[in-house]
Each structure stands twice: as structure tokens, then as C-alpha cells.
Amino acid sequence: MADFTLDDLIDSYRNGIFPMSDARDDDYLFLVDPPKRGILPLEAFHIPSRLRRTVRSTPFEVRVDTAFTQVIELCAESANDRPNTWISHPIQSLYQALFARGLAHSIEVWHNNRLVGGLYGVSIGGAFFGESMASRATDASKIALVHLVARLKSGGYRLLDCQFQTDHLKQFGTVEIDRADYHTRLKQALTIEADFYDLPARTDGRTALKVLEHASF
């Protein structure tokens, strides 16, 4: 899809469709609207007790939107359980353009000024579309997820789209819903004017946990 533009990408997300590719060096992009969708209901987010202790006392520093391209590239690296990535170079370029427009964000986990994990996604209205996460230190991506959910709750978001249900995400409370239900929830979320920066860009673990404990819908 050489003529697939940034506005096409935004329209796709607004209609519940997301892009993928078969490999890092693949120039071909295809669009996905799966019959079953993984979402993480924000009001039902579960933090395992061990992870809660880690978030509270972690030596890591969590930053927001300071290294968006680095996070994408970290997520695109091959791993033992994933030799290929769907994040092609054309897809990366589109997300970087979304970031420049303020419609994509990264949650970054740093240790001694080295990026050791994080996640990124797309933000439109009251919906956040989680795209990918990566970890190069124990629990780094999980810590990023906790901070993301705290930020979404604080900012008034209504939908966290995880694309697909996975065993890894189930521990946090993700559920699988059918396409029609997903599109209904998305339509409602898009009417909300959420604020990704309702929390300060530098928020520590204790503050994130307090938000999660006291946030209500």
C-alpha cells in the first residue's frame, strides 16, 4: 500500500482497523479487523501482588514520549519467541508521523539512562490502541503497562485496545469480545476528550498505584 497515508491510518483506527506487515523489511502493509478483539477493561485492571511491590520500589525511571522511535525499534527487534516482527519500516514511519501529530505515545522504562523496556500506542479521543511492548530487563514492560493504565484512568480514557488476547495479558484482566461489541465500545470512546498528560510526564510508581487505587468510572 504505497499510497496509504497518515490520514488513512487515522481513519482506519477510528473504524476499528489496524495495520500489520509480515516482516521488518516488507514494504507491503495490510489492514486487520479481527472477528475477536482483545481489550483491557480499565476498571478491571489487575496487578499481581509481586508486580505491585516491584512498581512501588523499582529502581527504574518511567518517562513518557522522550524516546518514541527507540521504543518502536526495541519492539521491532527479533527475539527468541518472535524471529519476525509485524513492525515494518513503512509502518514505523507512519507511527512516527502519528507521534509528530500528537496521536501516538510511548511509555519508557529506563535504568541508568538506558532504555530497558516500554510500550507505544495510538491515542484518539478516549481510546488508546496498544501496539507493542518490549522488555530488556525483568518486569520492564509490565511496569510500563501499569503506568499506562494509571495514565489512561487519570486522563478519562474509556477503551484500551490490546488487539489480540494473549496468555501474557490475561494476568492483567484482558478479555476477548466480538467485533460488533468492540465497534460499539470504540464509537463511544471516540466521543470522549481524554487527556494523556493529565498525569505529569515523570510519574513515579507510588503515584501510579495511588491513581489505580482511587480512580473510578
Side-chain angles (χ1 to χ4, degrees):
M1 289 190 178
D3 57 348
F4 190 76
T5 68
L6 181 60
D7 288 332
D8 291 330
L9 180 60
I10 295 169
D11 287 342
S12 294
Y13 276 106
R14 294 185 68 88
N15 286 284
I17 303 168
F18 57 87
M20 295 190 77
S21 189
D22 286 326
R24 182 69 166 151
D25 296 321
D26 191 353
D27 289 333
Y28 180 74
L29 177 158
F30 56 92
L31 299 175
V32 182
D33 183 12
K36 296 290 185 179
R37 198 67 161 248
I39 66 166
L40 203 170
L42 296 173
E43 71 280 3
F45 181 57
H46 172 70
I47 311 174
S49 56
R50 186 189 65 79
L51 178 60
R52 186 181 295 273
R53 292 192 296 270
T54 300
V55 170
R56 184 176 290 111
S57 61
T58 181
F60 299 141
E61 179 186 3
V62 177
R63 306 176 191 172
V64 175
D65 290 345
T66 69
F68 184 82
T69 297
Q70 286 177 257
V71 171
I72 291 185
E73 291 175 347
L74 193 69
C75 291
E77 290 178 0
S78 60
N80 291 333
D81 60 342
R82 193 196 64 237
N84 294 315
T85 177
W86 62 268
I87 308 170
S88 65
H89 291 292
I91 285 178
Q92 177 175 336
S93 295
L94 284 168
Y95 285 125
Q96 288 174 182
L98 273 181
F99 176 72
R101 198 178 284 195
L103 296 177
H105 300 284
S106 59
I107 305 288
E108 310 141 13
V109 180
W110 297 80
H111 186 242
N112 294 332
N113 282 322
R114 184 174 74 90
L115 182 67
V116 295
L119 58 80
Y120 74 96
V122 176
S123 174
I124 304 176
F128 190 90
F129 308 85
E131 290 302 316
S132 190
M133 60 200 314
S135 186
R136 296 298 179 268
T138 302
D139 291 334
S141 63
K142 296 176 183 178
I143 291 169
L145 180 61
V146 171
H147 278 259
L148 172 67
V149 175
R151 187 166 291 276
L152 298 185
K153 282 192 169 186
S154 180
Y157 285 77
R158 290 295 179 267
L159 177 67
L160 173 50
D161 174 7
C162 302
Q163 297 181 344
F164 301 107
Q165 172 75 288
T166 68
D167 290 338
H168 174 69
L169 290 174
K170 279 182 183 178
Q171 65 185 305
F172 301 107
T174 56
V175 297
E176 194 173 64
I177 60 176
D178 63 33
R179 181 187 286 138
D181 188 3
Y182 172 77
H183 282 279
T184 297
R185 295 182 189 221
L186 174 60
K187 184 177 180 180
Q188 293 170 347
L190 291 176
T191 67
I192 303 295
E193 291 187 15
D195 182 5
F196 194 78
Y197 290 108
D198 187 66
L199 284 181
R202 300 285 179 94
T203 297
D204 62 24
R206 291 178 182 275
T207 301
L209 291 174
K210 264 184 196 176
V211 169
L212 293 173
E213 289 166 1
H214 298 297
S216 61
F217 287 83

PDB file of all heavy atoms in Angstrom, residues 18-50:
ATOM      1  N   PHE A  18      -6.545  -1.910  12.140  1.00  0.00           N
ATOM      2  CA  PHE A  18      -5.144  -1.564  12.380  1.00  0.00           C
ATOM      3  C   PHE A  18      -4.247  -2.224  11.338  1.00  0.00           C
ATOM      4  O   PHE A  18      -4.594  -3.249  10.759  1.00  0.00           O
ATOM      5  CB  PHE A  18      -4.709  -1.938  13.801  1.00  0.00           C
ATOM      6  CG  PHE A  18      -4.888  -3.384  14.156  1.00  0.00           C
ATOM      7  CD1 PHE A  18      -3.899  -4.319  13.877  1.00  0.00           C
ATOM      8  CD2 PHE A  18      -6.045  -3.822  14.798  1.00  0.00           C
ATOM      9  CE1 PHE A  18      -4.058  -5.653  14.219  1.00  0.00           C
ATOM     10  CE2 PHE A  18      -6.213  -5.157  15.141  1.00  0.00           C
ATOM     11  CZ  PHE A  18      -5.217  -6.076  14.848  1.00  0.00           C
ATOM     12  N   PRO A  19      -3.051  -1.651  11.097  1.00  0.00           N
ATOM     13  CA  PRO A  19      -2.157  -2.175  10.065  1.00  0.00           C
ATOM     14  C   PRO A  19      -1.182  -3.213  10.620  1.00  0.00           C
ATOM     15  O   PRO A  19      -0.827  -3.197  11.795  1.00  0.00           O
ATOM     16  CB  PRO A  19      -1.403  -0.922   9.616  1.00  0.00           C
ATOM     17  CG  PRO A  19      -1.270  -0.130  10.885  1.00  0.00           C
ATOM     18  CD  PRO A  19      -2.565  -0.376  11.647  1.00  0.00           C
ATOM     19  N   MET A  20      -0.757  -4.102   9.750  1.00  0.00           N
ATOM     20  CA  MET A  20       0.296  -5.060  10.086  1.00  0.00           C
ATOM     21  C   MET A  20       1.112  -5.335   8.834  1.00  0.00           C
ATOM     22  O   MET A  20       0.718  -4.982   7.714  1.00  0.00           O
ATOM     23  CB  MET A  20      -0.289  -6.371  10.628  1.00  0.00           C
ATOM     24  CG  MET A  20      -1.022  -6.254  11.944  1.00  0.00           C
ATOM     25  SD  MET A  20      -1.454  -7.855  12.680  1.00  0.00           S
ATOM     26  CE  MET A  20       0.141  -8.345  13.341  1.00  0.00           C
ATOM     27  N   SER A  21       2.253  -5.971   9.043  1.00  0.00           N
ATOM     28  CA  SER A  21       3.097  -6.415   7.940  1.00  0.00           C
ATOM     29  C   SER A  21       3.678  -7.766   8.328  1.00  0.00           C
ATOM     30  O   SER A  21       3.570  -8.183   9.485  1.00  0.00           O
ATOM     31  CB  SER A  21       4.206  -5.394   7.668  1.00  0.00           C
ATOM     32  OG  SER A  21       4.896  -5.721   6.487  1.00  0.00           O
ATOM     33  N   ASP A  22       4.296  -8.441   7.381  1.00  0.00           N
ATOM     34  CA  ASP A  22       4.808  -9.787   7.657  1.00  0.00           C
ATOM     35  C   ASP A  22       6.252  -9.811   8.147  1.00  0.00           C
ATOM     36  O   ASP A  22       6.693 -10.805   8.718  1.00  0.00           O
ATOM     37  CB  ASP A  22       4.694 -10.669   6.407  1.00  0.00           C
ATOM     38  CG  ASP A  22       3.255 -11.090   6.150  1.00  0.00           C
ATOM     39  OD1 ASP A  22       2.505 -11.291   7.133  1.00  0.00           O
ATOM     40  OD2 ASP A  22       2.877 -11.214   4.972  1.00  0.00           O
ATOM     41  N   ALA A  23       6.993  -8.731   7.927  1.00  0.00           N
ATOM     42  CA  ALA A  23       8.403  -8.728   8.307  1.00  0.00           C
ATOM     43  C   ALA A  23       8.922  -7.301   8.355  1.00  0.00           C
ATOM     44  O   ALA A  23       8.310  -6.369   7.788  1.00  0.00           O
ATOM     45  CB  ALA A  23       9.237  -9.554   7.326  1.00  0.00           C
ATOM     46  N   ARG A  24      10.034  -7.125   9.014  1.00  0.00           N
ATOM     47  CA  ARG A  24      10.626  -5.798   9.189  1.00  0.00           C
ATOM     48  C   ARG A  24      10.922  -5.127   7.850  1.00  0.00           C
ATOM     49  O   ARG A  24      10.707  -3.924   7.686  1.00  0.00           O
ATOM     50  CB  ARG A  24      11.917  -5.943  10.010  1.00  0.00           C
ATOM     51  CG  ARG A  24      12.637  -4.635  10.326  1.00  0.00           C
ATOM     52  CD  ARG A  24      11.860  -3.793  11.293  1.00  0.00           C
ATOM     53  NE  ARG A  24      12.656  -2.715  11.860  1.00  0.00           N
ATOM     54  CZ  ARG A  24      12.158  -1.565  12.267  1.00  0.00           C
ATOM     55  NH1 ARG A  24      10.860  -1.321  12.183  1.00  0.00           N
ATOM     56  NH2 ARG A  24      12.942  -0.650  12.781  1.00  0.00           N
ATOM     57  N   ASP A  25      11.406  -5.890   6.876  1.00  0.00           N
ATOM     58  CA  ASP A  25      11.798  -5.323   5.584  1.00  0.00           C
ATOM     59  C   ASP A  25      10.721  -5.456   4.518  1.00  0.00           C
ATOM     60  O   ASP A  25      10.982  -5.258   3.329  1.00  0.00           O
ATOM     61  CB  ASP A  25      13.095  -5.987   5.095  1.00  0.00           C
ATOM     62  CG  ASP A  25      14.267  -5.687   6.011  1.00  0.00           C
ATOM     63  OD1 ASP A  25      14.356  -4.542   6.494  1.00  0.00           O
ATOM     64  OD2 ASP A  25      15.093  -6.586   6.243  1.00  0.00           O
ATOM     65  N   ASP A  26       9.513  -5.787   4.928  1.00  0.00           N
ATOM     66  CA  ASP A  26       8.401  -5.943   3.986  1.00  0.00           C
ATOM     67  C   ASP A  26       7.763  -4.587   3.719  1.00  0.00           C
ATOM     68  O   ASP A  26       7.384  -3.880   4.640  1.00  0.00           O
ATOM     69  CB  ASP A  26       7.372  -6.905   4.583  1.00  0.00           C
ATOM     70  CG  ASP A  26       6.324  -7.336   3.583  1.00  0.00           C
ATOM     71  OD1 ASP A  26       6.314  -6.791   2.461  1.00  0.00           O
ATOM     72  OD2 ASP A  26       5.508  -8.211   3.919  1.00  0.00           O
ATOM     73  N   ASP A  27       7.648  -4.221   2.452  1.00  0.00           N
ATOM     74  CA  ASP A  27       7.025  -2.952   2.095  1.00  0.00           C
ATOM     75  C   ASP A  27       5.505  -3.055   2.011  1.00  0.00           C
ATOM     76  O   ASP A  27       4.819  -2.047   1.883  1.00  0.00           O
ATOM     77  CB  ASP A  27       7.557  -2.451   0.748  1.00  0.00           C
ATOM     78  CG  ASP A  27       8.999  -1.974   0.854  1.00  0.00           C
ATOM     79  OD1 ASP A  27       9.397  -1.546   1.952  1.00  0.00           O
ATOM     80  OD2 ASP A  27       9.732  -2.046  -0.155  1.00  0.00           O
ATOM     81  N   TYR A  28       4.977  -4.287   2.085  1.00  0.00           N
ATOM     82  CA  TYR A  28       3.542  -4.490   1.956  1.00  0.00           C
ATOM     83  C   TYR A  28       2.878  -4.343   3.320  1.00  0.00           C
ATOM     84  O   TYR A  28       3.344  -4.891   4.318  1.00  0.00           O
ATOM     85  CB  TYR A  28       3.242  -5.870   1.374  1.00  0.00           C
ATOM     86  CG  TYR A  28       1.768  -6.141   1.220  1.00  0.00           C
ATOM     87  CD1 TYR A  28       1.031  -5.530   0.210  1.00  0.00           C
ATOM     88  CD2 TYR A  28       1.107  -7.004   2.093  1.00  0.00           C
ATOM     89  CE1 TYR A  28      -0.330  -5.768   0.069  1.00  0.00           C
ATOM     90  CE2 TYR A  28      -0.254  -7.258   1.953  1.00  0.00           C
ATOM     91  CZ  TYR A  28      -0.959  -6.629   0.943  1.00  0.00           C
ATOM     92  OH  TYR A  28      -2.301  -6.871   0.813  1.00  0.00           O
ATOM     93  N   LEU A  29       1.785  -3.610   3.351  1.00  0.00           N
ATOM     94  CA  LEU A  29       1.026  -3.364   4.576  1.00  0.00           C
ATOM     95  C   LEU A  29      -0.395  -3.862   4.355  1.00  0.00           C
ATOM     96  O   LEU A  29      -0.989  -3.627   3.310  1.00  0.00           O
ATOM     97  CB  LEU A  29       1.060  -1.866   4.867  1.00  0.00           C
ATOM     98  CG  LEU A  29       0.318  -1.255   6.044  1.00  0.00           C
ATOM     99  CD1 LEU A  29       0.960   0.090   6.408  1.00  0.00           C
ATOM    100  CD2 LEU A  29      -1.156  -1.022   5.723  1.00  0.00           C
ATOM    101  N   PHE A  30      -0.939  -4.570   5.342  1.00  0.00           N
ATOM    102  CA  PHE A  30      -2.330  -4.995   5.224  1.00  0.00           C
ATOM    103  C   PHE A  30      -3.097  -4.561   6.473  1.00  0.00           C
ATOM    104  O   PHE A  30      -2.516  -4.306   7.532  1.00  0.00           O
ATOM    105  CB  PHE A  30      -2.439  -6.508   5.005  1.00  0.00           C
ATOM    106  CG  PHE A  30      -1.774  -7.355   6.057  1.00  0.00           C
ATOM    107  CD1 PHE A  30      -2.482  -7.806   7.162  1.00  0.00           C
ATOM    108  CD2 PHE A  30      -0.438  -7.718   5.929  1.00  0.00           C
ATOM    109  CE1 PHE A  30      -1.881  -8.585   8.131  1.00  0.00           C
ATOM    110  CE2 PHE A  30       0.175  -8.506   6.895  1.00  0.00           C
ATOM    111  CZ  PHE A  30      -0.539  -8.949   7.996  1.00  0.00           C
ATOM    112  N   LEU A  31      -4.418  -4.461   6.342  1.00  0.00           N
ATOM    113  CA  LEU A  31      -5.262  -3.962   7.419  1.00  0.00           C
ATOM    114  C   LEU A  31      -6.039  -5.107   8.052  1.00  0.00           C
ATOM    115  O   LEU A  31      -6.487  -6.026   7.371  1.00  0.00           O
ATOM    116  CB  LEU A  31      -6.228  -2.904   6.881  1.00  0.00           C
ATOM    117  CG  LEU A  31      -5.548  -1.660   6.277  1.00  0.00           C
ATOM    118  CD1 LEU A  31      -6.593  -0.740   5.668  1.00  0.00           C
ATOM    119  CD2 LEU A  31      -4.736  -0.927   7.330  1.00  0.00           C
ATOM    120  N   VAL A  32      -6.209  -5.027   9.375  1.00  0.00           N
ATOM    121  CA  VAL A  32      -6.811  -6.116  10.143  1.00  0.00           C
ATOM    122  C   VAL A  32      -7.999  -5.601  10.949  1.00  0.00           C
ATOM    123  O   VAL A  32      -7.910  -4.586  11.634  1.00  0.00           O
ATOM    124  CB  VAL A  32      -5.764  -6.740  11.100  1.00  0.00           C
ATOM    125  CG1 VAL A  32      -6.375  -7.913  11.856  1.00  0.00           C
ATOM    126  CG2 VAL A  32      -4.522  -7.180  10.336  1.00  0.00           C
ATOM    127  N   ASP A  33      -9.096  -6.322  10.858  1.00  0.00           N
ATOM    128  CA  ASP A  33     -10.293  -6.067  11.672  1.00  0.00           C
ATOM    129  C   ASP A  33     -10.752  -7.439  12.178  1.00  0.00           C
ATOM    130  O   ASP A  33     -11.677  -8.033  11.624  1.00  0.00           O
ATOM    131  CB  ASP A  33     -11.376  -5.397  10.825  1.00  0.00           C
ATOM    132  CG  ASP A  33     -12.612  -5.036  11.644  1.00  0.00           C
ATOM    133  OD1 ASP A  33     -12.544  -5.096  12.888  1.00  0.00           O
ATOM    134  OD2 ASP A  33     -13.645  -4.700  11.026  1.00  0.00           O
ATOM    135  N   PRO A  34     -10.102  -7.954  13.221  1.00  0.00           N
ATOM    136  CA  PRO A  34     -10.339  -9.345  13.632  1.00  0.00           C
ATOM    137  C   PRO A  34     -11.742  -9.586  14.159  1.00  0.00           C
ATOM    138  O   PRO A  34     -12.366  -8.680  14.729  1.00  0.00           O
ATOM    139  CB  PRO A  34      -9.293  -9.565  14.731  1.00  0.00           C
ATOM    140  CG  PRO A  34      -8.988  -8.201  15.250  1.00  0.00           C
ATOM    141  CD  PRO A  34      -9.126  -7.273  14.093  1.00  0.00           C
ATOM    142  N   PRO A  35     -12.256 -10.798  13.984  1.00  0.00           N
ATOM    143  CA  PRO A  35     -13.598 -11.120  14.492  1.00  0.00           C
ATOM    144  C   PRO A  35     -13.667 -11.094  16.016  1.00  0.00           C
ATOM    145  O   PRO A  35     -14.724 -10.867  16.596  1.00  0.00           O
ATOM    146  CB  PRO A  35     -13.864 -12.520  13.941  1.00  0.00           C
ATOM    147  CG  PRO A  35     -12.512 -13.087  13.653  1.00  0.00           C
ATOM    148  CD  PRO A  35     -11.661 -11.929  13.255  1.00  0.00           C
ATOM    149  N   LYS A  36     -12.546 -11.356  16.681  1.00  0.00           N
ATOM    150  CA  LYS A  36     -12.450 -11.266  18.131  1.00  0.00           C
ATOM    151  C   LYS A  36     -11.360 -10.263  18.489  1.00  0.00           C
ATOM    152  O   LYS A  36     -10.288 -10.254  17.890  1.00  0.00           O
ATOM    153  CB  LYS A  36     -12.099 -12.626  18.742  1.00  0.00           C
ATOM    154  CG  LYS A  36     -13.161 -13.696  18.524  1.00  0.00           C
ATOM    155  CD  LYS A  36     -14.412 -13.395  19.342  1.00  0.00           C
ATOM    156  CE  LYS A  36     -15.423 -14.530  19.224  1.00  0.00           C
ATOM    157  NZ  LYS A  36     -16.639 -14.258  20.027  1.00  0.00           N
ATOM    158  N   ARG A  37     -11.654  -9.435  19.492  1.00  0.00           N
ATOM    159  CA  ARG A  37     -10.720  -8.363  19.844  1.00  0.00           C
ATOM    160  C   ARG A  37     -10.345  -8.474  21.313  1.00  0.00           C
ATOM    161  O   ARG A  37     -11.200  -8.685  22.175  1.00  0.00           O
ATOM    162  CB  ARG A  37     -11.391  -7.016  19.587  1.00  0.00           C
ATOM    163  CG  ARG A  37     -10.473  -5.825  19.486  1.00  0.00           C
ATOM    164  CD  ARG A  37      -9.585  -5.912  18.257  1.00  0.00           C
ATOM    165  NE  ARG A  37      -9.034  -4.636  17.901  1.00  0.00           N
ATOM    166  CZ  ARG A  37      -9.357  -3.964  16.798  1.00  0.00           C
ATOM    167  NH1 ARG A  37     -10.236  -4.447  15.947  1.00  0.00           N
ATOM    168  NH2 ARG A  37      -8.803  -2.811  16.535  1.00  0.00           N
ATOM    169  N   GLY A  38      -9.066  -8.296  21.614  1.00  0.00           N
ATOM    170  CA  GLY A  38      -8.608  -8.253  22.993  1.00  0.00           C
ATOM    171  C   GLY A  38      -8.646  -6.827  23.511  1.00  0.00           C
ATOM    172  O   GLY A  38      -8.108  -5.915  22.875  1.00  0.00           O
ATOM    173  N   ILE A  39      -9.298  -6.631  24.646  1.00  0.00           N
ATOM    174  CA  ILE A  39      -9.296  -5.314  25.291  1.00  0.00           C
ATOM    175  C   ILE A  39      -8.973  -5.498  26.773  1.00  0.00           C
ATOM    176  O   ILE A  39      -9.141  -6.594  27.323  1.00  0.00           O
ATOM    177  CB  ILE A  39     -10.648  -4.580  25.151  1.00  0.00           C
ATOM    178  CG1 ILE A  39     -11.752  -5.319  25.924  1.00  0.00           C
ATOM    179  CG2 ILE A  39     -11.025  -4.393  23.691  1.00  0.00           C
ATOM    180  CD1 ILE A  39     -13.017  -4.499  26.107  1.00  0.00           C
ATOM    181  N   LEU A  40      -8.502  -4.425  27.385  1.00  0.00           N
ATOM    182  CA  LEU A  40      -8.246  -4.457  28.816  1.00  0.00           C
ATOM    183  C   LEU A  40      -9.197  -3.455  29.472  1.00  0.00           C
ATOM    184  O   LEU A  40      -8.954  -2.246  29.407  1.00  0.00           O
ATOM    185  CB  LEU A  40      -6.784  -4.113  29.126  1.00  0.00           C
ATOM    186  CG  LEU A  40      -6.228  -4.612  30.468  1.00  0.00           C
ATOM    187  CD1 LEU A  40      -4.712  -4.405  30.524  1.00  0.00           C
ATOM    188  CD2 LEU A  40      -6.877  -3.960  31.662  1.00  0.00           C
ATOM    189  N   PRO A  41     -10.292  -3.933  30.070  1.00  0.00           N
ATOM    190  CA  PRO A  41     -11.208  -3.004  30.748  1.00  0.00           C
ATOM    191  C   PRO A  41     -10.473  -2.266  31.864  1.00  0.00           C
ATOM    192  O   PRO A  41      -9.961  -2.880  32.794  1.00  0.00           O
ATOM    193  CB  PRO A  41     -12.298  -3.941  31.306  1.00  0.00           C
ATOM    194  CG  PRO A  41     -12.221  -5.173  30.448  1.00  0.00           C
ATOM    195  CD  PRO A  41     -10.774  -5.327  30.129  1.00  0.00           C
ATOM    196  N   LEU A  42     -10.421  -0.969  31.777  1.00  0.00           N
ATOM    197  CA  LEU A  42      -9.617  -0.194  32.716  1.00  0.00           C
ATOM    198  C   LEU A  42     -10.090  -0.361  34.153  1.00  0.00           C
ATOM    199  O   LEU A  42      -9.284  -0.375  35.088  1.00  0.00           O
ATOM    200  CB  LEU A  42      -9.631   1.283  32.314  1.00  0.00           C
ATOM    201  CG  LEU A  42      -8.992   1.585  30.947  1.00  0.00           C
ATOM    202  CD1 LEU A  42      -9.206   3.046  30.577  1.00  0.00           C
ATOM    203  CD2 LEU A  42      -7.503   1.250  30.959  1.00  0.00           C
ATOM    204  N   GLU A  43     -11.398  -0.515  34.332  1.00  0.00           N
ATOM    205  CA  GLU A  43     -11.933  -0.660  35.685  1.00  0.00           C
ATOM    206  C   GLU A  43     -11.636  -2.032  36.277  1.00  0.00           C
ATOM    207  O   GLU A  43     -11.775  -2.231  37.493  1.00  0.00           O
ATOM    208  CB  GLU A  43     -13.443  -0.405  35.685  1.00  0.00           C
ATOM    209  CG  GLU A  43     -14.278  -1.490  35.035  1.00  0.00           C
ATOM    210  CD  GLU A  43     -14.311  -1.428  33.513  1.00  0.00           C
ATOM    211  OE1 GLU A  43     -13.625  -0.553  32.930  1.00  0.00           O
ATOM    212  OE2 GLU A  43     -15.048  -2.241  32.920  1.00  0.00           O
ATOM    213  N   ALA A  44     -11.198  -2.975  35.443  1.00  0.00           N
ATOM    214  CA  ALA A  44     -10.934  -4.337  35.919  1.00  0.00           C
ATOM    215  C   ALA A  44      -9.439  -4.681  35.858  1.00  0.00           C
ATOM    216  O   ALA A  44      -9.068  -5.857  35.978  1.00  0.00           O
ATOM    217  CB  ALA A  44     -11.731  -5.345  35.090  1.00  0.00           C
ATOM    218  N   PHE A  45      -8.597  -3.663  35.687  1.00  0.00           N
ATOM    219  CA  PHE A  45      -7.155  -3.909  35.594  1.00  0.00           C
ATOM    220  C   PHE A  45      -6.644  -4.566  36.869  1.00  0.00           C
ATOM    221  O   PHE A  45      -6.898  -4.103  37.981  1.00  0.00           O
ATOM    222  CB  PHE A  45      -6.429  -2.588  35.360  1.00  0.00           C
ATOM    223  CG  PHE A  45      -4.933  -2.724  35.219  1.00  0.00           C
ATOM    224  CD1 PHE A  45      -4.382  -3.542  34.258  1.00  0.00           C
ATOM    225  CD2 PHE A  45      -4.081  -2.009  36.053  1.00  0.00           C
ATOM    226  CE1 PHE A  45      -3.008  -3.658  34.115  1.00  0.00           C
ATOM    227  CE2 PHE A  45      -2.713  -2.112  35.919  1.00  0.00           C
ATOM    228  CZ  PHE A  45      -2.173  -2.935  34.955  1.00  0.00           C
ATOM    229  N   HIS A  46      -5.920  -5.665  36.707  1.00  0.00           N
ATOM    230  CA  HIS A  46      -5.394  -6.423  37.842  1.00  0.00           C
ATOM    231  C   HIS A  46      -3.869  -6.368  37.845  1.00  0.00           C
ATOM    232  O   HIS A  46      -3.228  -6.646  36.831  1.00  0.00           O
ATOM    233  CB  HIS A  46      -5.853  -7.873  37.768  1.00  0.00           C
ATOM    234  CG  HIS A  46      -5.188  -8.758  38.786  1.00  0.00           C
ATOM    235  ND1 HIS A  46      -5.464  -8.659  40.145  1.00  0.00           N
ATOM    236  CD2 HIS A  46      -4.245  -9.731  38.650  1.00  0.00           C
ATOM    237  CE1 HIS A  46      -4.718  -9.547  40.794  1.00  0.00           C
ATOM    238  NE2 HIS A  46      -3.982 -10.202  39.917  1.00  0.00           N
ATOM    239  N   ILE A  47      -3.309  -6.017  38.988  1.00  0.00           N
ATOM    240  CA  ILE A  47      -1.852  -6.015  39.153  1.00  0.00           C
ATOM    241  C   ILE A  47      -1.478  -7.152  40.092  1.00  0.00           C
ATOM    242  O   ILE A  47      -1.855  -7.131  41.274  1.00  0.00           O
ATOM    243  CB  ILE A  47      -1.328  -4.694  39.741  1.00  0.00           C
ATOM    244  CG1 ILE A  47      -1.901  -3.495  38.992  1.00  0.00           C
ATOM    245  CG2 ILE A  47       0.196  -4.661  39.703  1.00  0.00           C
ATOM    246  CD1 ILE A  47      -1.529  -2.168  39.616  1.00  0.00           C
ATOM    247  N   PRO A  48      -0.742  -8.156  39.631  1.00  0.00           N
ATOM    248  CA  PRO A  48      -0.276  -9.213  40.538  1.00  0.00           C
ATOM    249  C   PRO A  48       0.493  -8.610  41.707  1.00  0.00           C
ATOM    250  O   PRO A  48       1.184  -7.589  41.552  1.00  0.00           O
ATOM    251  CB  PRO A  48       0.628 -10.067  39.635  1.00  0.00           C
ATOM    252  CG  PRO A  48       0.105  -9.827  38.246  1.00  0.00           C
ATOM    253  CD  PRO A  48      -0.335  -8.396  38.234  1.00  0.00           C
ATOM    254  N   SER A  49       0.375  -9.215  42.873  1.00  0.00           N
ATOM    255  CA  SER A  49       0.942  -8.629  44.091  1.00  0.00           C
ATOM    256  C   SER A  49       2.447  -8.428  43.993  1.00  0.00           C
ATOM    257  O   SER A  49       2.978  -7.413  44.460  1.00  0.00           O
ATOM    258  CB  SER A  49       0.600  -9.495  45.304  1.00  0.00           C
ATOM    259  OG  SER A  49       1.034 -10.823  45.116  1.00  0.00           O
ATOM    260  N   ARG A  50       3.144  -9.375  43.378  1.00  0.00           N
ATOM    261  CA  ARG A  50       4.597  -9.212  43.255  1.00  0.00           C
ATOM    262  C   ARG A  50       4.929  -8.015  42.379  1.00  0.00           C
ATOM    263  O   ARG A  50       5.844  -7.229  42.681  1.00  0.00           O
ATOM    264  CB  ARG A  50       5.236 -10.473  42.677  1.00  0.00           C
ATOM    265  CG  ARG A  50       6.775 -10.428  42.660  1.00  0.00           C
ATOM    266  CD  ARG A  50       7.377 -11.584  41.898  1.00  0.00           C
ATOM    267  NE  ARG A  50       7.037 -11.549  40.490  1.00  0.00           N
ATOM    268  CZ  ARG A  50       7.653 -10.756  39.598  1.00  0.00           C
ATOM    269  NH1 ARG A  50       8.619  -9.927  39.980  1.00  0.00           N
ATOM    270  NH2 ARG A  50       7.297 -10.790  38.337  1.00  0.00           N
TER     271      ARG A  50
END
